Amino acid sequence: QVQLVESGGGLVQAGGSLRLSCAASGRSFRIYAMGWFRQAPGKQREFVTAKGSDGSTYYIDAVKGRFTISRDYSENTVYLQMNSLKPEDTAVYYCAAGLTAAQTMGIKGPDYWGQGTQVTVSS
């Protein structure tokens, strides 16, 4: 069992930055791929990025070069650094954990979800 708690969302102007954090409980943190999904108003939840237990990473094209996912194994925490934010990045961001490869989390889906944190980018 893994529990995920996100923090760090907020309101930022276009071009600004935010860093989201996700604290994971459970002793098996290392074996899970960790990722982030987002859901904009009126849209389906979409996969954004993941980092596998082997260190591999995967990003959707819309965030490549702007977002960076990282993991701190000593703190059981995964981060999402978001730079050059755009209004279309506005969404609720969900942390996720899954026994899958980073590049397949968006297809197979995770095993665990966080509660979500709101990110709003104003134009």
Side-chain angles (χ1 to χ4, degrees):
Q1 188 77 11
V2 176
Q3 292 185 326
L4 306 170
V5 179
E6 302 101 330
S7 61
L11 173 64
V12 65
Q13 289 188 331
S17 298
L18 279 176
R19 189 177 80 156
L20 306 183
S21 301
C22 173
S25 65
R27 294 176 294 177
S28 302
F29 177 71
R30 288 181 174 272
I31 71 173
Y32 285 91
M34 300 297 297
W36 293 90
F37 289 69
R38 66 186 180 186
Q39 187 167 18
K43 295 187 177 181
Q44 287 188 332
R45 190 173 299 187
E46 69 167 347
F47 171 71
V48 177
T49 179
K51 193 170 185 68
S53 59
D54 62 354
S56 61
T57 57
Y58 185 84
Y59 298 91
I60 59 171
D61 288 344
V63 306
K64 280 181 181 177
R66 301 188 299 121
F67 289 13
T68 302
I69 187 171
S70 60
R71 297 177 68 158
D72 184 336
Y73 289 95
S74 66
E75 297 291 334
N76 277 13
T77 300
V78 61
Y79 301 98
L80 183 64
Q81 178 67 43
M82 304 185 293
N83 299 327
S84 302
L85 282 161
K86 305 175 181 180
E88 52 264 43
D89 294 318
T90 295
V92 177
Y93 282 72
Y94 296 89
C95 179
L99 289 173
T100 180
Q103 64 267 32
T104 58
M105 180 176 280
I107 300 171
K108 295 184 177 180
D111 299 297
Y112 301 98
W113 294 98
Q115 83 285 357
T117 185
Q118 177 70 47
V119 171
T120 303
V121 184
S122 63
S123 58

